[in-house]
Amino acid sequence: MTSLPLRIKDAMSQQHSAAPAPHTAVATVAPRGDWWRDAVIYQVYPRSFADSNGDGMGDLEGVRSRLPYLRDLGVDAVWLSPFYASPQADAGYDVADYRAVDPMFGSLLDADALIRDAHGLGLRIIVDLVPNHSSDQHEWFKRAVAEGPGSPLRERYHFRPGKGAHGELPPNDWESIFGGPAWTRVTEPDGTPGEWYLHLFAPEQPDFNWDHPAVGDEFRSILRFWLDMGVDGFRIDVAHGLVKAPGLPDLGAHDQLKLLGNDVMPFFDQEGVHEIYRQWRTVLDEYAAKEGPEGPSSEGRWWETGGRIFVAEAWTPTIERTAHYVRPDELHQAFNFQYLSTAWDAAELREVIDRTLEAMRPVGAPATWVLSNHDVTRHATRFANPPGLGTQIRLAGDRELGLRRARAASLLMLALPGSAYVYQGEELGLPDVVDLPDEVRQDPAYFRGAGQDGFRDGCRVPIPWTREGSSYGFGSGGSWLPQPAGWAELSVEAQTGRAGSTLELYRAALRVRREQPDLGAGDGVEWLTAPAGVLAFRRGEFVCVANTTGEAVTTPAYGRLLLASGEVAETGGEAKVPADTTVWWSTAR
Ligand code: NOJ
């Protein structure tokens, strides 16, 4: 990206007077158009990664300053949660301007510098796209409300008159995912209570009406804006929610929460979403055609090789339905939430692994694997919870047990074929913060109460970089959510070079993954006979053994010990694998 398109320059000049930084760095990895098939993608939650200006809030410059850490960790790409202009009613998932960076995170120039530096270090950048809803401060929505009933802008959202004698009841019985009704009534310009609008999430997040052509046009233009900025892909927020069943029919069941994720709902996973993604795919394909075949371009701009991708956040009832999103003419990847929701149990894990691989094979998409993100309990805490509690409940639990299982689960995930997602801080073995005082919480789901416990703040606490300093090196000021005492020894500084630390385990795992051609590649595993509660599989010259039980087990020593999440003892061709431990073997001679 040596010269910026004019409209980006214009947008930048509105935010910053300085010129974009020169692109000096040199790529360190070989380009591959299909890099995403076995990529390890690291999720940065910009609020909580690194704070460059000491205001207690992470920012893009902070992320840029820590890119070498991510390069050294060994990931292939970075997915950034939203950093767009936003009133932050849902931590940035309420976007007021899709083409601007919120001043709390920096400017478009900072985004440009971040993308350039990442590419210089051989890292790809994936940005978050939020197409299901905007902020209620988005220009369209503000005008829709201000112009009153009949405004053409109301057609770009779901405005409806209410039910009841005076329109005092919501238009249907849908509930917000964050609790309470999915509808809010507006006050009309003449001061009277008026129409209602749909919001599947917070009232500050009105849902777009994707039947209106202007919405599709706008999002294809937003895609191009960020593609022209040089991003390598998009994570699509609520990818399953854009299209609603015609007529917005009542659900008729009052336990919507139990149905969520288990059933096709009139507002989720409707067939119509696929047409939108087919259209989006043509935009990416257009860029691919322009940018040429795999391999570095003549100017060495290796990232412009057509390897740009979409990844769907699609919560669907089954992995088979998730596979619909990654058909060859749609998206590239979809998060595997079935895997994320699976307990630390060999039989359940084997079933979800097999089912995932089987579901992805016919559509030719890589499987993906994920254990943590900014919406769920970190796996180092979750795996110490009693089984059956789900991904939202946070208990302090047995920290040691949780960490041991989390390390084993991470090694298992990184041994599977396909692409893996790592959430910032999991490489440090961070637990969820379960005791945040109510007055510091920011998650809207917490305040709206119902259903899910809304304690997502616990996995969003800024990460510790150093042993000392205010906010453990997160920034020179405080941190927007307080970090617990005792995080010094979990910091990057404390774990770097410490044998057996979780950080060094991740670094080693990602190094081995790069060196072992069988890891990440392919679409199948060969299961090996193993004791009850133990998973063992072969992938070419690589064997992975995961003991999910609370007891040590004896297994064959399959070859050369590559890596283990605990202390493995080898004697006479056998290996003693401790409780909750994963081992990687190489069978190469
Ligand atoms: C999914 C995002 O991951 C979550 O953080 C957000 O609250 C909802 N979508 C609504 O945008």
Side-chain angles (χ1 to χ4, degrees):
M1 207 175 68
T2 44
S3 72
L4 291 164
L6 262 181
R7 68 171 186 284
I8 299 177
K9 282 187 181 154
D10 286 350
M12 284 177 166
S13 62
Q14 283 163 20
Q15 291 205 11
H16 242 282
S17 50
H23 194 165
T24 49
V26 175
T28 55
V29 292
R32 271 178 37 215
D34 65 349
W35 63 274
W36 46 277
R37 289 194 160 271
D38 60 358
V40 176
I41 301 178
Y42 185 97
Q43 180 188 357
V44 163
Y45 194 65
R47 291 173 147 247
S48 305
F49 192 62
D51 167 21
S52 73
N53 59 5
D55 66 356
M57 183 61 71
D59 47 46
L60 294 186
E61 189 50 27
V63 180
R64 189 167 78 94
S65 71
R66 296 291 186 182
L67 286 174
Y69 165 78
L70 297 177
R71 190 254 335 258
D72 296 345
L73 181 60
V75 300
D76 300 287
V78 178
W79 148 38
L80 294 142
S81 282
F83 49 76
Y84 313 111
S86 160
Q88 304 289 318
D90 183 20
Y93 283 96
D94 48 319
V95 181
D97 183 347
Y98 291 84
R99 297 179 184 80
V101 172
D102 196 281
M104 73 188 247
F105 294 122
S107 66
L108 274 178
L109 268 187
D110 296 330
D112 177 62
L114 171 63
I115 296 164
R116 286 163 182 261
D117 276 21
H119 286 162
L121 292 168
L123 294 165
R124 310 253 179 182
I125 295 285
I126 294 174
V127 292
D128 219 307
L129 188 70
V130 189
N132 179 67
H133 46 263
S134 69
S135 157
D136 62 351
Q137 296 307 304
H138 189 282
E139 219 31 58
W140 286 4
F141 190 78
K142 283 198 295 189
R143 281 174 49 202
V145 174
E147 289 174 11
S151 159
L153 284 165
R154 289 202 178 189
E155 290 163 22
R156 299 182 186 185
Y157 294 91
H158 297 280
F159 277 86
R160 295 282 186 285
K163 286 185 177 163
H166 307 286
E168 72 281 11
L169 299 172
N172 74 13
D173 65 358
W174 298 357
E175 290 164 28
S176 151
I177 312 301
F178 290 161
W183 295 88
T184 290
R185 196 172 192 186
V186 296
T187 302
E188 300 299 359
D190 65 4
T192 58
E195 293 186 323
W196 298 71
Y197 66 89
L198 176 70
H199 52 85
L200 289 181
F201 294 88
E204 297 88 350
Q205 294 168 293
D207 280 48
F208 283 116
N209 172 16
W210 273 85
D211 289 334
H212 195 294
V215 176
D217 290 349
E218 172 66 354
F219 272 90
R220 284 190 301 275
S221 156
I222 293 166
L223 287 179
R224 289 174 194 283
F225 179 88
W226 288 101
L227 290 168
D228 290 343
M229 284 281 287
V231 303
D232 301 284
F234 300 89
R235 175 263 188 193
I236 306 168
D237 188 62
V238 199
H240 54 309
L242 278 48
V243 172
K244 277 73 183 175
L248 311 182
D250 275 338
L251 204 55
H254 288 285
D255 217 350
Q256 178 177 299
L257 250 137
K258 288 211 176 115
L259 298 178
L260 274 179
N262 298 311
D263 238 314
V264 179
M265 319 281 282
F267 45 79
F268 279 164
D269 202 23
Q270 298 290 304
E271 263 318 293
V273 295
H274 297 290
E275 183 48 33
I276 297 170
Y277 301 134
R278 281 190 279 269
Q279 289 180 13
W280 287 12
R281 183 60 181 256
T282 62
V283 176
L284 246 60
D285 289 348
E286 209 183 280
Y287 276 75
K290 204 162 64 191
E291 290 161 356
E294 291 179 23
S297 75
S298 53
E299 293 165 59
R301 299 201 300 268
W302 60 271
W303 54 93
E304 291 183 358
T305 54
R308 313 217 206 193
I309 65 159
F310 288 116
V311 53
E313 186 221 19
W315 290 86
T316 64
T318 61
I319 188 76
E320 290 75 15
R321 289 196 71 93
T322 304
H324 293 175
Y325 290 76
V326 289
R327 288 177 286 204
D329 58 348
E330 295 192 38
L331 309 175
H332 300 75
Q333 294 186 345
F335 294 132
N336 188 344
F337 292 124
Q338 276 78 16
Y339 186 70
L340 183 147
S341 313
T342 302
W344 179 239
D345 174 277
E348 289 180 37
L349 284 164
R350 180 168 169 165
E351 191 188 330
V352 74
I353 292 168
D354 278 341
R355 233 177 126 169
T356 300
L357 294 170
E358 272 160 35
M360 295 300 148
R361 221 169 275 133
V363 290
T368 69
W369 313 100
V370 60
L371 291 166
S372 283
N373 65 33
H374 65 293
D375 289 331
V376 299
T377 314
R378 284 185 175 278
H379 61 287
T381 296
R382 199 171 71 234
F383 285 140
N385 280 349
L389 271 193
T391 57
Q392 298 286 339
I393 309 296
R394 288 133 164 93
L395 300 176
D398 177 343
R399 286 274 292 277
E400 213 180 291
L401 174 70
L403 181 59
R404 197 165 65 236
R405 288 182 173 171
R407 289 161 53 100
S410 300
L411 270 203
L412 171 63
M413 168 177 86
L414 292 170
L416 293 169
S419 178
Y421 280 80
V422 170
Y423 176 48
Q424 67 176 40
E426 73 173 65
E427 78 278 21
L428 304 176
L430 290 191
D432 245 67
V433 180
V434 293
D435 54 0
L436 285 171
D438 290 353
E439 58 278 12
V440 304
R441 290 180 190 284
Q442 303 212 2
D443 180 358
Y446 174 71
F447 296 103
R448 288 178 68 83
Q452 65 178 4
D453 75 6
F455 282 50
R456 295 181 302 174
D457 290 320
C459 61
R460 299 175 177 180
V461 173
I463 66 172
W465 291 93
T466 54
R467 285 197 174 93
E468 308 280 332
S470 64
S471 67
Y472 302 113
F474 164 65
S476 57
S479 75
W480 67 281
L481 285 173
Q483 299 152 301
W487 270 22
E489 286 312 307
L490 290 175
S491 67
V492 171
E493 179 186 41
Q495 295 199 41
T496 294
R498 191 170 79 205
S501 75
T502 304
L503 178 56
E504 292 302 344
L505 180 71
Y506 267 76
R507 284 179 174 152
L510 295 180
R511 196 170 48 243
V512 174
R513 206 179 141 101
R514 279 175 179 237
E515 289 162 5
Q516 284 275 325
D518 296 321
L519 270 163
D523 63 1
V525 298
E526 179 198 337
W527 293 107
L528 304 173
T529 310
V534 178
L535 292 174
F537 59 84
R538 184 190 301 280
R539 322 234 354 260
E541 294 185 327
F542 171 86
V543 169
C544 175
V545 175
N547 176 10
T548 69
T549 73
E551 308 290 331
V553 292
T554 301
T555 69
Y558 285 97
R560 183 166 57 87
L561 183 68
L562 290 170
L563 197 59
S565 64
E567 290 285 325
V568 174
E570 283 182 78
T571 35
E574 290 195 325
K576 193 166 171 208
V577 181
D580 299 311
T581 298
T582 296
V583 193
W584 287 6
W585 301 96
S586 166
T587 60
R589 290 176 189 278

